[in-house]
Amino acid sequence: AVDEPELLTVPDGWKEPAFTREDNPKGLLEESSFATLFPKYREAYLKECWPLVQKALGELYVNAALDLIEGSMTVTTTKKTFDPYAIIRARDLIKLLARSVPFEQVFRILQDDVACDIIKIGSLVRKRETFIKRRARLLGPKGSTLKALELLTNCYIMVQGNTVSALGPFSGLKEVRKVVLDTMKNIHPIYNIKTLMIKRELAKDPELRTQSWERFLPKFKRKNLKKRKEPKKKNTKKEYTPFPPPQPESQIDKELASGEYFLKERQKKRKQMEEIKAKQADAIKRRQEERNKAFIPPKEKPVVKTKKASTEKKIDIEAIKEKVKNAKKKKLGALPEEEVKLKMAADEKKKKKK
């Protein structure tokens, strides 16, 4: 008797046995084939690596043909082909080669535990500029975001044009598709990368395998940080009144009120000239005041009287003079007079003894 939880868990290191000729000794009944087109810039690379492609597919007894005139690759089964899924793997191989994935990574698709996923992202965003920005966000600075995603999912990811090609285990491909689609929906990939890092650490603990991980995973709330700009001039609504506003005065009404309407043409012109001259005189006066500002002397600071030196401490000049005289008499390095006299007396005594 085996417990139900043990039946649901897969033992560590378990692998499905490989499909051999003994499983299908009679082979396939009909021939199957798949073809795909490739862009012109891939032609030179495909020419170089095509012998390696034929060799890899030859082990599965699948034929591969490269047509450079039509720009297509074709894979077909043979009478010796015993694995029915080999043609599907061969189809994925030529699809990935057409989408700029290098052969060093592509040949892994022939393994049992490796699959591929081609995500079309071209139609997910309307504006071309926004699409380019979000695609660059998926790559990250110097490809760091894409590299982190590859390490966490164990998948090889290739962003080319309007598609994202991913190659790796099934669990990793599921995460890659989620991250790519979220990035195109304006959700930064760093949030998904943080979640994947936490999941990887939780998977190491055997006790947490049967428990829900919702309490450990971070919950990110969408914040609309853009605030509506307030206008400089705010239009305040006036109070509603049922009566219409008063009619504005016309030029004739203003002239009638001032009495200018009854003046003659010569008088009107004379009045206009006087107004012009008054304005000119004001302007000249203002200009002259601006010029005169340069000739106005600055205000001088008040003079601070210095305090006289205090004469409380009297200096003994006579004592200083005597010190100077004694210093002049002495030579540098010479002995004082008393010591010289004692030395001379000692020398005379020595001479007398001899």
Side-chain angles (χ1 to χ4, degrees):
V2 183
D3 294 336
E4 192 175 344
E6 290 183 11
L7 290 170
L8 295 172
T9 56
V10 179
D12 293 331
W14 181 86
K15 280 188 178 182
E16 193 176 344
F19 193 87
T20 57
R21 185 172 285 281
E22 294 173 2
D23 298 318
N24 187 16
K26 293 183 180 179
L28 306 175
L29 291 172
E30 293 186 7
E31 184 183 293
S32 301
S33 65
F34 287 101
T36 186
L37 299 172
F38 60 87
K40 185 74 176 174
Y41 63 85
R42 290 290 289 167
E43 188 177 318
Y45 181 78
L46 290 171
K47 267 187 193 177
E48 291 179 8
C49 72
W50 198 250
L52 297 170
V53 174
Q54 287 179 324
K55 186 182 177 183
L57 293 175
E59 294 174 2
L60 299 172
Y61 302 103
V62 176
N63 286 336
L66 178 67
D67 192 345
L68 297 173
I69 297 164
E70 290 183 2
S72 65
M73 293 178 281
T74 313
V75 286
T76 53
T77 57
T78 59
K79 290 180 180 178
K80 291 183 179 180
T81 308
F82 61 89
D83 188 358
Y85 200 72
I87 189 66
I88 304 297
R89 288 179 186 155
R91 178 202 66 183
D92 292 340
L93 185 141
I94 59 173
K95 270 188 181 181
L96 292 169
L97 280 173
R99 281 175 169 78
S100 301
V101 181
F103 179 76
E104 289 79 8
Q105 295 290 339
V106 167
F107 82 95
R108 288 171 52 210
I109 196 70
L110 303 176
Q111 299 171 13
D112 289 336
D113 56 345
V114 178
C116 74
D117 190 8
I118 295 164
I119 308 155
K120 293 180 181 179
I121 57 172
S123 59
L124 296 175
V125 184
R126 286 183 182 179
K127 290 184 181 179
R128 182 69 182 169
E129 291 176 4
T130 311
F131 168 73
I132 291 164
K133 283 180 183 177
R134 289 180 188 176
R135 187 179 63 182
R137 192 184 291 168
L138 184 64
L139 293 167
K142 296 181 181 179
S144 57
T145 307
L146 197 69
K147 189 68 181 173
L149 198 60
E150 285 180 349
L151 291 169
L152 289 167
T153 57
N154 296 323
C155 293
Y156 175 81
I157 305 165
M158 182 73 184
V159 181
Q160 178 77 9
N162 294 334
T163 57
V164 177
S165 306
L167 183 75
F170 292 98
S171 58
L173 293 174
K174 187 181 175 183
E175 297 293 343
V176 169
R177 177 170 275 274
K178 184 180 179 297
V179 174
V180 170
L181 294 177
D182 282 353
T183 306
M184 290 295 122
K185 289 175 186 174
N186 203 20
I187 298 168
H188 204 282
I190 196 68
Y191 298 122
N192 287 311
I193 286 169
K194 280 183 180 179
T195 308
L196 288 171
M197 288 172 75
I198 293 163
K199 282 182 179 178
R200 188 175 67 173
E201 293 300 318
L202 292 170
K204 293 176 183 177
D205 193 348
E207 293 179 3
L208 294 170
R209 283 186 179 180
T210 55
Q211 296 178 17
S212 177
W213 293 350
E214 286 296 322
R215 56 197 171 122
F216 300 108
L217 300 177
K219 291 176 183 177
F220 302 105
K221 291 180 181 179
R222 294 188 73 177
K223 291 180 181 179
N224 190 10
L225 297 175
K226 284 185 180 179
K227 291 182 179 178
R228 187 171 170 238
K229 289 181 180 178
E230 293 182 358
K232 288 181 180 178
K233 293 179 180 178
K234 291 183 179 180
N235 296 326
T236 54
K237 286 186 177 181
K238 295 177 181 178
E239 291 182 6
Y240 174 74
T241 54
F243 306 105
Q247 194 174 356
E249 289 184 350
S250 63
Q251 189 67 28
I252 295 167
D253 293 337
K254 289 175 183 178
E255 288 178 0
L256 285 167
S258 62
E260 193 180 342
Y261 183 76
F262 303 103
L263 295 173
K264 292 178 181 179
E265 283 294 324
R266 289 167 72 184
Q267 290 174 334
K268 284 180 183 178
K269 284 182 181 178
R270 194 186 301 158
K271 192 179 180 183
Q272 285 176 358
M273 288 298 292
E274 285 174 1
E275 287 175 359
I276 290 165
K277 283 179 181 179
K279 285 180 181 177
Q280 285 177 350
D282 288 339
I284 290 163
K285 192 179 178 182
R286 266 188 266 111
R287 256 186 257 123
Q288 195 64 37
E289 285 175 0
E290 288 290 327
R291 286 174 190 164
N292 291 338
K293 280 181 183 177
F295 300 104
I296 297 167
K299 289 181 180 180
E300 294 182 1
K301 293 179 180 179
V303 179
V304 180
K305 292 181 180 180
T306 53
K307 292 180 180 179
K308 292 181 180 180
S310 59
T311 56
E312 290 175 2
K313 292 180 181 179
K314 292 181 179 180
I315 300 164
D316 193 356
I317 296 166
E318 295 298 327
I320 293 166
K321 284 182 180 179
E322 284 181 9
K323 282 183 182 179
V324 172
K325 281 181 183 179
N326 293 331
K328 282 182 180 179
K329 287 177 182 178
K330 287 182 182 180
K331 291 180 181 178
L332 289 170
L335 294 167
E337 289 180 2
E338 293 176 359
E339 289 183 12
V340 171
K341 287 176 182 177
L342 291 169
K343 204 172 185 180
M344 287 173 70
D347 290 338
E348 286 177 2
K349 285 179 181 179
K350 283 180 183 178
K351 284 178 183 178
K352 286 177 181 178
K353 285 179 182 179
K354 288 178 180 179

